[in-house]
Amino acid sequence: MSKITINVVAARANVSKKTVSRVLNNEPNVSDKTRKKVTDIAEELGYKPNPLARGLASNQSFILGLLYDNPNTNYINNIQAGALQVCQDKDYHLLIHPCKASSDQLVNNVKELISHSRLDGLVLTPPLSDFPELIDFLLTSKTPFVRIGATENLNCSSAVVSNDEQTSYEMTQYLISLGHTAIGFVKGHPQHNSATERFQGFQRALKTANIKLHEKWLQQGDYTFDSGEHCARQILTMNEKPSAIFCSNDYMAAGVLKVANQLEISVPHQLSVTGFDDAPISRYIWPTISTIQQPVEAMARQATSLLIEKLKIPDGEETTVVLESQLIKRESSAPPFKRISR
Amino acid sequence: MSKITINVVAARANVSKKTVSRVLNNEPNVSDKTRKKVTDIAEELGYKPNPLARGLASNQSFILGLLYDNPNTNYINNIQAGALQVCQDKDYHLLIHPCKASSDQLVNNVKELISHSRLDGLVLTPPLSDFPELIDFLLTSKTPFVRIGATENLNCSSAVVSNDEQTSYEMTQYLISLGHTAIGFVKGHPQHNSATERFQGFQRALKTANIKLHEKWLQQGDYTFDSGEHCARQILTMNEKPSAIFCSNDYMAAGVLKVANQLEISVPHQLSVTGFDDAPISRYIWPTISTIQQPVEAMARQATSLLIEKLKIPDGEETTVVLESQLIKRESSAPPFKRISR
DNA sequence: GTGAAAGCGCTAACAG
DNA sequence: CTGTTAGCGCTTTCAC
């Protein structure tokens, strides 16, 4: 069906190939009249430029790579959806590339990927966004890239980030405003800088409110359900328990909920639990988990747009865009249990 | 860095371009000696053929499309992972394409996608695998495709399927073997043929065991958590309740669990609940859900391999591969509650 | 403003 | 078994 090439459009419009090409690429030096004529005829014929030919001639591939190493399928799915939207819109392809951050072959893998698939640019997601070796390589090889959720070296590339520290601060403030002063915390995966940010926001809120952080209620998780379970078992079997536990993500919060249930600690009556990410599980579990929603899809959209812009203006400025997260109050948080005392 | 084209390889090997090309594509009519020489030199130079040039010349794109419309991010992620593995292995690209099965523009969308992105072939996932209009279009336009989880018209294309009906039968048998005779059922999304298969397996097991299916305990869900909740509320507020509920997927089972909890019906003590799919939530919720695990990733791998083979031998036979699912017993199923009577 | 010629890196079709 | 000659459909260069 589609044997419509640039040649037939040119012939029909009585202009040269090059003029059609100019119109297609929005180049200057075409009279408005010619431009319109070509546009109309292209439209009428349903002409679509062949990306392969285009790429071959201009040494581009119109393929963007999306790199990730993230166990959280929900996060990745949202990222993909956002990136895909922009790609479709701007006639780029998106190559999904899962990889292992822990592998010492990471940089080599990516190098191979770029050269082999002729990628025009890369979108990095956490924790890859803050991987020094990878960043270094991309910088020295002059591969265009943008980073999502990066926290370090923000001026070395464009980036789209959320304000985890601040939202974490607000979540903690919320717990404090409910009356909690004995608050535990389950940290996220040490390789993810979000884990640090979230913890820092928590610390800052405690300091501001003059509340002491009990080391014993501070546990190191790794963003998995199992780690949440494990940490909760540590905290909730102590004699002196906190009245609230702030978990660095929802899976860990779900793990805490499970342990609370097993230990017959009623949530939120005897214990408040909060999460982060607004993962589906936060709505499916009972009680539903108070959490924080990041605009993940919007972040991916922004990042992809930035990347494509950068491809067009290679020496443009590096931008950092901050998108705001949002606190979602659900059933797992409430004022602390008051012992009927005296 | 990579200015190594077929020309430099040819020059270095003292042969023509075409000979190099032949070696690369594993074509016959090259002496072993020449073949080895070329292979070695290509290796040494780290030569990688430019897919764009290759595609342009041979009218292929080496891009496969993965079509889906599925709310289940976990399923899609596994499918993607499997398809990706094979694509990387065989030097294909995978273009992820979410779409709306409900849209009357579906066929047009896909048509546009294929022509615009020059896709070589398509992998279809449920419920798209059984969409007559789409299948018809692909067939008449001679677009190569394979289907995952198709149930209809199995000889019109290669397909990779699982034995949902049989596994559903076995799950039901398992419930019966525990002693359940009053068993409710929550159906899946009517647009997914898996929903029918799962229900049929259930029916067959009941019939085999001579157990009557109570219409009132049969509810129509749509594979979402919310629908599970809704159906459970119907069933569990009746005077006469079943002692087990078989849900067509895990999200709905989780919804049932939530309602049971609210109604203070203890699972599995007073009520057994089973799911389907082995979604993460089946392990994260309490009690953990007895379910069925499909080899989703392996299915995607198979399907992608079949597609690539078909691309090479366009008139080869259409194959149907069946992969076995597996019953996973967890905490949500147990023998029925015996009233301490008389 | 526009066009002609050359070529991106590869494969197809044919010739030897 | 191997090489030659033409392109694939587009962009680039440079001329007009």
Side-chain angles (χ1 to χ4, degrees), chain B residues 272-289:
Chain B
S272 286
V273 176
T274 64
F276 216 114
D277 287 344
D278 192 32
I281 192 163
S282 65
R283 288 182 308 258
Y284 295 165
I285 212 165
W286 192 88
T288 54
I289 303 174

Side-chain angles (χ1 to χ4, degrees), chain A residues 147 152-158 318 320:
Chain A
R147 298 181 293 160
E152 293 168 359
N153 253 315
L154 281 177
N155 40 0
C156 83
S157 84
S158 287
E318 308 294 353
T320 297

Side-chain angles (χ1 to χ4, degrees), chain A residues 49-189:
Chain A
N50 181 331
L52 272 62
R54 220 219 271 248
L56 181 58
S58 64
N59 198 30
Q60 288 180 266
S61 66
F62 296 93
I63 300 178
L64 267 28
L66 174 63
L67 253 53
Y68 64 84
D69 172 25
N70 199 312
N72 184 339
T73 62
N74 189 60
Y75 183 81
I76 292 306
N77 259 78
N78 285 324
I79 291 277
Q80 279 188 14
L84 240 25
Q85 284 167 30
V86 176
C87 282
Q88 279 179 18
D89 209 56
K90 306 264 178 84
D91 281 337
Y92 272 80
H93 286 332
L94 187 69
L95 190 62
I96 311 287
H97 190 83
C99 46
K100 288 263 157 287
S102 53
S103 157
D104 52 354
Q105 288 301 306
L106 175 67
V107 171
N108 278 333
N109 275 336
V110 174
K111 190 187 292 192
E112 173 117 346
L113 173 75
I114 295 169
S115 70
H116 184 221
S117 293
R118 303 295 209 268
L119 299 184
D120 286 347
L122 289 180
V123 178
L124 304 195
T125 58
L128 269 19
S129 297
D130 281 314
F131 245 63
E133 298 88 353
L134 183 59
I135 308 298
D136 279 353
F137 163 69
L138 295 176
L139 249 22
T140 57
S141 67
K142 300 213 181 299
T143 310
F145 68 101
V146 300
R147 298 181 293 160
I148 294 177
T151 61
E152 293 168 359
N153 253 315
L154 281 177
N155 40 0
C156 83
S157 84
S158 287
V160 180
V161 302
S162 61
N163 54 345
D164 275 21
E165 198 273 348
Q166 174 61 24
T167 333
S168 183
Y169 176 84
E170 286 164 18
M171 176 64 100
T172 313
Q173 270 198 326
Y174 161 64
L175 285 173
I176 294 170
S177 76
L178 287 175
H180 294 279
T181 53
I183 309 178
F185 190 90
V186 181
K187 290 172 152 184
H189 195 298

